[in-house]
Amino acid sequence: MDLNTVVELRDARRRETWRPGDAWLGGGTYLFSEPQPHIRRLVDLSRMGWDPVRVTPTGDLEVAATCTIAQLSRFAREQGGRWAAGPLFEQCCRAFLASWKIWNMATVGGNLCNGLPAGPMISLTAALDGVCRLQAQDGSTREVPAADFVIGAGLKVLQPGELLRSITVPARALAVRTAFRQASLYGLGRSGALLIGTRDPVSDEFVLTVTASTVRPFRFRFPLPPNAEAVHEAVAYGIPPQDYYDDIHGLPAWRRHMTFRLAEEIRRELLPDSR
C-alpha cells in the first residue's frame, strides 16, 4: 500500500533528532499493509549491517531485530540437533502461515514491535526467556525480558524514538525440552491460542507460556512437576478474564477454553509421569 503521508525516507545510520511522525522501517510488511496517516518519515534499518543471528562465545543466541523469519528458520534448521529447543523455532516460524514473500521480508523485531497477541516471535522469545535490548536515541541501552516487552494488544514498553536492537536467548534455555500447541478457527487462520511448555533438564522446572489467546504473554513457573489441577488453577487465577483477547479470530470464551485444553495437553506431553 502506498503511504501518501510519508515525505521522507532516511538512513538509520544518520543520527538525527527523532520527531513525531517518524517510524522505524524494517521489513515493512505491517507498515505497508494498511494506511498509516500519522507517519511522515520512515527511518530505514536495512543498511545497519547487523548479523541476522549468531551464537555468542557464551553459547547464547543473539537475534537481530532485522533478522527475517526466513533467516531465523534457515539458521535453526542448519543447527540440526544442536539444541533440544531447536524444533520450536521452526514451529513458531510456521505459525505465521504466511507467503514466501512475507517470510523473506518480515522481521523478528517487527513482529515483536507490532505487539499483536498472535505474534509468534513474541511467543518464541517469551517462552525461551529471551531478553530484548532496547537502544535510545542517545545510544544508551536497556534490557527488558521478552515476556514483559508487550504489555497489551499493540502496546509495548518502547519509548518514543527507542529501537529494539536485538533479542538474546540464553544458552540454558536452548537446552530445554519444549511442547508447542496452536489453535485457530480456520485451517489457515491467525492463531487464536498459542501455548508453549518447557521443561528444564537440570532443575526439572516446568514453565507454561500463554500467548495469542491473551492480550499479552502470561508465564507460569512450576519448580516441581505440577498435576492437572495445579496447572488449571494457575491459569484460572493467573489470567484475568478481561485479558483474553476479543476479535474476529476468536471470542474470549473460546480462547479461554482452548487455553485450558492446550495447557493440559502440554503438561501431559512434557510430564508423562505426572497425574
Side-chain angles (χ1 to χ4, degrees), residues 5-181:
T5 61
V6 173
V7 297
E8 184 181 352
L9 173 68
R10 71 177 181 89
D11 193 324
R13 293 174 298 177
R14 294 168 49 198
R15 289 293 181 87
E16 296 182 17
T17 302
W18 185 269
R19 63 195 189 198
D22 286 356
W24 298 110
L25 174 61
T29 55
Y30 167 71
L31 281 179
F32 292 101
S33 70
E34 60 183 46
Q36 310 284 349
H38 62 288
I39 295 179
R40 299 294 180 268
R41 293 198 306 178
L42 294 176
V43 186
D44 185 11
L45 297 168
S46 64
R47 298 181 181 180
M48 295 301 288
W50 299 332
D51 290 335
V53 55
R54 70 183 187 96
V55 178
T56 70
T58 58
D60 299 338
L61 185 68
E62 183 180 81
V63 183
T66 50
C67 175
T68 66
I69 306 307
Q71 289 172 325
L72 180 63
S73 171
R74 183 164 53 250
F75 183 87
R77 291 197 307 271
E78 290 172 351
Q79 299 305 305
R82 178 177 180 180
W83 302 314
L88 184 63
F89 287 82
E90 187 70 7
Q91 289 171 322
C92 288
C93 287
R94 294 290 173 185
F96 273 100
L97 299 173
S99 69
W100 66 270
K101 294 180 182 179
I102 299 297
W103 261 53
N104 284 276
M105 291 300 296
T107 63
V108 174
N111 192 246
L112 269 80
C113 289
N114 281 342
L116 299 179
M121 296 296 100
I122 301 172
S123 310
L124 172 68
T125 55
L128 293 182
D129 290 326
V131 176
C132 298
R133 180 153 62 97
L134 312 182
Q135 182 174 311
Q137 285 291 292
D138 62 4
S140 62
T141 61
R142 64 185 177 110
E143 294 185 343
V144 175
D148 299 330
F149 180 75
V150 177
I151 55 177
L155 302 175
K156 294 81 61 179
V157 298
L158 287 170
Q159 299 298 317
E162 200 169 31
L163 170 70
L164 172 59
R165 169 62 182 85
S166 63
I167 308 95
T168 299
V169 176
R172 58 171 178 76
L174 296 170
V176 300
R177 289 181 53 211
T178 64
F180 173 94
R181 293 293 188 281

Side-chain angles (χ1 to χ4, degrees), residues 143-237:
E143 294 185 343
V144 175
D148 299 330
F149 180 75
V150 177
I151 55 177
L155 302 175
K156 294 81 61 179
V157 298
L158 287 170
Q159 299 298 317
E162 200 169 31
L163 170 70
L164 172 59
R165 169 62 182 85
S166 63
I167 308 95
T168 299
V169 176
R172 58 171 178 76
L174 296 170
V176 300
R177 289 181 53 211
T178 64
F180 173 94
R181 293 293 188 281
Q182 178 193 24
S184 173
L185 286 176
Y186 314 100
L188 295 176
R190 181 177 294 179
S191 298
L194 198 163
L195 278 68
I196 297 171
T198 63
R199 186 176 183 181
D200 191 299
V202 178
S203 67
D204 210 29
E205 180 184 51
F206 173 73
V207 184
L208 178 69
T209 302
V210 178
T211 59
S213 58
T214 52
V215 297
R216 63 175 179 85
F218 283 86
R219 304 197 73 203
F220 302 97
R221 294 183 179 273
F222 302 88
L224 299 176
N227 58 21
E229 183 179 0
V231 171
H232 187 278
E233 287 187 354
V235 173
Y237 293 105

